[in-house]
Amino acid sequence: MFERLREDIQSVFHRDPAARNAFEVLTCYPGMHAIWLHRLSHYLWTLDWKWLARVVSNFGRWLTGIEIHPGATIGRRFFIDHGMGIVIGETAEIGDDVTLYQGVTLGGTSWNKGKRHPTLESGVVVGAGAKVLGPFTVGAGAKVGSNAVVTKAVPAGATVVGIPGRIIIKSDDDVEAKRKAIAEKLGFDAYGVSEDMPDPVARAIGQLLDHLQAVDARLEGMCGALNALGSDYCAKELPALHDEVFDCVKDGGETKAG
Ligand SMILES: CC(C)(COP(=O)(O)OP(=O)(O)OC[C@H]1O[C@@H](n2cnc3c(N)ncnc32)[C@H](O)[C@@H]1OP(=O)(O)O)[C@@H](O)C(=O)NCCC(=O)NCCS
């Protein structure tokens, strides 16, 4: 039990830069109090002491402003920051290392019995005020933006924002794939450096390419808008990049390395 308590407190230090010491976390974090009371109410629920479980859950709500149904299943290192106004429904399932901010609802959209609340896989972060409604899965490591309303499944690693929720970043893997594509297009692999071998120059070039890609996407959008207005400005070809420039860079690199 003390091991779990220690783990809970550590999870606060990892995710809230404002946390200063264990005593402060024990006494001043309503999210922690709500989780501990939920563990008790969930235990009573599994023993089929349903009324007592509801009483404990209601006491937790009264104390913290966080309403967690005793039937909800919650993994380890769950962190609720601020907490006030959170509602977690009966059939919600929450994996490990999940973070919720104030005002989040994990709710249902039907009055049918059975699974009607979402499943959040490990590492999901749900921003303040977001509503996740329905019996679908938010994949591991996904982020839900503050005030989003999500009613459909979210793939692992994706970021979803707005009403209705739309995916703005598919996953880190997609970002990596885009980087590879642009590096191949340019004939220069600035990303051929792994996390374990941080080369500051290659990293800086990598950042520039990321930025270039973002500017490219924005220009494409602007060209689309200009085309729609009947302009032919974007029909003009951009100057081409010539392979020999990159051959030169590659040769230079090899000479240096040699
Ligand atoms: C959604 C979120 C996780 C995205 O973070 P990120 O990956 O760093 O993405 P960025 O901040 O670069 O934003 C990417 C784009 O999404 C937009 N965006 C970010 N959050 C948004 C939100 N909640 N709603 C609508 N659009 C949002 C940004 O304006 C940006 O748009 P642009 O590309 O047109 O400029 C983050 O913004 C968020 O909402 N986190 C929740 C934090 C929270 O609730 N904190 C409470 C503390 S008390």
Side-chain angles (χ1 to χ4, degrees), residues 3 5-6 23 25 27 37 39 67 71 78 96 106 110 113 120 128 142 156 166 177 181 237-239 249 255:
E3 195 44 48
L5 204 67
R6 203 191 313 260
F23 184 69
V25 173
T27 51
L37 283 167
R39 281 189 197 140
E67 182 175 328
F78 180 43
D96 295 332
L106 304 182
S110 85
K113 288 199 182 294
L120 309 188
R166 62 176 206 290
E237 289 290 324
L238 285 173
V249 173
T255 317

Side-chain angles (χ1 to χ4, degrees), residues 11-19 29-32 34-35 64-68 77-88 94 97-107 120 123-132 142-148 160:
S11 75
V12 176
F13 288 129
H14 288 146
R15 283 175 264 172
D16 182 6
Y29 275 70
M32 287 287 106
I35 292 163
T64 64
I66 298 165
E67 182 175 328
I68 311 178
R77 298 172 297 279
F78 180 43
F79 177 48
I80 295 177
D81 204 359
H82 308 293
M84 184 63 79
I86 286 183
V87 177
I88 300 176
I94 297 178
D97 302 298
V98 168
T99 306
L100 305 187
Y101 290 95
Q102 69 274 15
V104 167
T105 300
L106 304 182
L120 309 188
V124 167
V125 177
V126 186
K131 315 286 178 259
V132 185
K143 291 181 196 155
V144 178
S146 50
N147 285 330
V160 59

Side-chain angles (χ1 to χ4, degrees), residues 1 12 26 33 46-47 63 78 109 187-188 211 225 227 232 251:
M1 187 181 122
V12 176
L26 273 171
H33 306 150
T46 55
L47 291 182
L63 194 72
F78 180 43
T109 51
F188 173 67
H211 187 70
N227 285 346
D232 66 346
D251 291 348

